[in-house]
Amino acid sequence: MSAPLTSLAAEAPAAAPPDAAFLPTSAGLIPGPAHPIPWRALLGDVLLDADSWSALGCMTKVRRCRAGDRVIRRGDAAVSMLALCEGRVAARAPVTGPLWLDLHTAWLDGRYEDDASVASSSALVMEWPMAVAVLWLRQQPLVLEALVRAVSARLRDARDAITGLTTQDATGRVAAWLLAQAGAAGELRLAERKRDVAAQLSISPETFSRTLRQLADRGVLAVQGYRIGLLDRVALLALARCR
């Protein structure tokens, strides 16, 4: 079972003057705190006054979960926006915080469509109940804009993923996935089973393993078990862009 919720509740703060959100930093506006909720990672460089950040922290609920705990249950009513503050969660694909776990379902008064469970030793999950969020956001256009940007980014990523699945061959999908997972690093370590990665890419586990071997034979990768070195990023990028 999940650890008990630790929550605080606060009434939405009084509306600020129309131009208060656009005052310079020297007038008392500050970036969001990093702990326990990494607001800068979730909302970007939004500047608010200390009282607004405090109100935002008070209206959220934070819970520490253990490995295997279910943080999203399929079919449950979505009453909160959910974020993974730290740790790793396995849903359709494993994800590592900080990031939004589900930012859209609660806005649609819907139900969660997939289960999500903690895949690391522990994880910190934030819930932002819509009952208080909507009222407060009416007075916080900059935060609302940041949420729209976050949803738009997720939509773009989903579109790119669909495009990749419909236009790339297996090699192109694997190349794009490797580049995305490695980021600026020269190597990566698979944090999940190869068959789970293959499922994300809509290919068979055998095809995934064979593609890694072929790329290694071409000198593009260095594969040692679950460690993969990216020896030729230019070649990988060309394969990822190939349609």
Side-chain angles (χ1 to χ4, degrees):
M1 295 179 63
S2 301
L5 290 176
T6 302
S7 63
L8 293 174
E11 296 180 356
D19 60 343
F22 303 96
L23 292 175
T25 306
S26 59
L29 300 185
I30 57 177
H35 300 286
I37 301 173
W39 287 116
R40 295 191 70 177
L42 299 176
L43 299 178
D45 296 324
V46 173
L47 300 179
L48 302 174
D49 57 54
D51 289 342
S52 294
W53 284 120
S54 178
L56 183 52
C58 287
M59 72 178 71
T60 57
K61 304 175 182 179
V62 180
R63 55 181 168 129
R64 173 69 64 179
C65 304
R66 298 184 294 272
D69 285 349
R70 192 173 299 180
V71 297
I72 298 178
R73 187 179 300 274
R74 181 179 180 181
D76 280 359
V79 296
S80 300
M81 292 175 279
L82 303 177
L84 179 62
C85 300
E86 61 182 57
R88 190 172 180 83
V89 164
R92 290 190 176 183
V95 294
T96 301
L99 50 66
W100 289 102
L101 277 178
D102 191 300
L103 187 54
H104 68 282
T105 309
W107 285 95
L108 302 174
D109 297 322
R111 294 184 179 275
Y112 298 117
E113 298 180 351
D114 297 288
D115 291 324
S117 301
V118 177
S120 51
S121 59
S122 67
L124 190 65
V125 177
M126 181 270 285
E127 301 178 4
W128 188 357
M130 295 300 296
V132 291
V134 171
L135 294 175
W136 186 78
L137 286 170
R138 290 172 182 169
Q139 304 172 27
Q140 298 289 344
L142 293 182
V143 181
L144 187 58
E145 178 184 347
L147 291 175
V148 171
R149 289 181 182 275
V151 171
S152 299
R154 297 294 293 270
L155 179 61
R156 178 196 59 202
D157 292 344
R159 180 206 61 194
D160 291 346
I162 293 172
T163 300
L165 290 175
T166 56
T167 61
Q168 290 175 319
D169 60 15
T171 302
R173 298 178 200 178
V174 172
W177 185 86
L178 289 170
L179 289 169
Q181 294 297 309
E187 70 171 34
L188 62 93
R189 182 177 181 84
L190 296 182
E192 57 221 90
R193 295 171 297 183
K194 291 182 180 180
R195 68 181 184 184
D196 293 331
V197 176
Q200 296 174 41
L201 302 177
S202 294
I203 59 179
S204 69
E206 294 76 16
T207 298
F208 179 67
S209 295
R210 183 172 63 251
T211 302
L212 291 180
R213 288 197 302 270
Q214 291 173 344
L215 292 175
D217 291 341
R218 293 166 56 180
V220 178
L221 301 177
V223 182
Q224 294 182 339
Y226 279 73
R227 292 181 59 187
I228 302 176
L230 279 58
L231 304 181
D232 191 339
R233 299 180 70 94
V234 174
L236 282 174
L237 186 58
L239 291 170
R241 289 178 173 174
C242 183
R243 295 290 185 262

